[in-house]
Amino acid sequence: MQLEQKHSGLGIASFILGLGGGLLTFLVFFVAGIIGAANGGEIDEESVEAVMIGLFLMLFVFLDLLAIGLGIAGLMQKDRKKVFAVLGVACGSSSVVLSGFLMLLGLMA
């Protein structure tokens, strides 16, 4: 007789952080684009808006990195379902990679 496995709590936390952090990261990029467009295509690097965008971006990328770490820990748990851990690692990783790509794209422009 085989007992049904439970979902990993770390995996669920990873998925929530990865999805939430990713969505909030791209919301920050969207707001930065709106502010930049309103100011003629550039943002003053020493303005309050630019500093807040940078702080929020670092916070949300940190959440994505935390999601990746929790997802990896969830994958290491025995006798637990791995679905949410895999989704959390995938969401967090894709968000970090796409954020880096958007930052490089912004530097080249």
Side-chain angles (χ1 to χ4, degrees), residues 36-80:
N39 292 331
E42 290 190 16
I43 299 176
D44 179 23
E45 293 180 6
E46 295 188 16
S47 69
V48 174
E49 294 90 4
V51 172
M52 293 303 293
I53 287 170
L55 288 174
F56 279 120
L57 185 62
M58 286 190 297
L59 173 68
F60 298 144
V61 168
F62 174 75
L63 285 179
D64 287 327
L65 293 173
L66 183 62
I68 293 168
L70 287 174
I72 291 171
L75 289 171
M76 298 299 164
Q77 288 182 322
K78 295 186 187 308
D79 299 328
R80 297 287 183 177

Side-chain angles (χ1 to χ4, degrees), residues 2-107:
Q2 183 179 1
L3 296 175
E4 185 177 334
Q5 292 180 339
K6 294 182 180 181
H7 284 286
S8 168
L10 292 173
I12 293 170
S14 169
F15 176 66
I16 291 171
L17 285 175
L19 190 62
L23 291 173
L24 291 171
T25 299
F26 291 109
L27 179 65
V28 167
F29 278 113
F30 182 73
V31 169
I34 291 174
I35 292 172
N39 292 331
E42 290 190 16
I43 299 176
D44 179 23
E45 293 180 6
E46 295 188 16
S47 69
V48 174
E49 294 90 4
V51 172
M52 293 303 293
I53 287 170
L55 288 174
F56 279 120
L57 185 62
M58 286 190 297
L59 173 68
F60 298 144
V61 168
F62 174 75
L63 285 179
D64 287 327
L65 293 173
L66 183 62
I68 293 168
L70 287 174
I72 291 171
L75 289 171
M76 298 299 164
Q77 288 182 322
K78 295 186 187 308
D79 299 328
R80 297 287 183 177
K81 292 182 181 179
K82 311 287 189 218
V83 175
F84 284 113
V86 169
L87 290 173
V89 169
C91 287
S93 299
S94 63
S95 177
V96 169
V97 168
L98 289 173
S99 296
F101 176 72
L102 287 174
M103 283 187 244
L104 286 176
L105 190 65
L107 288 174

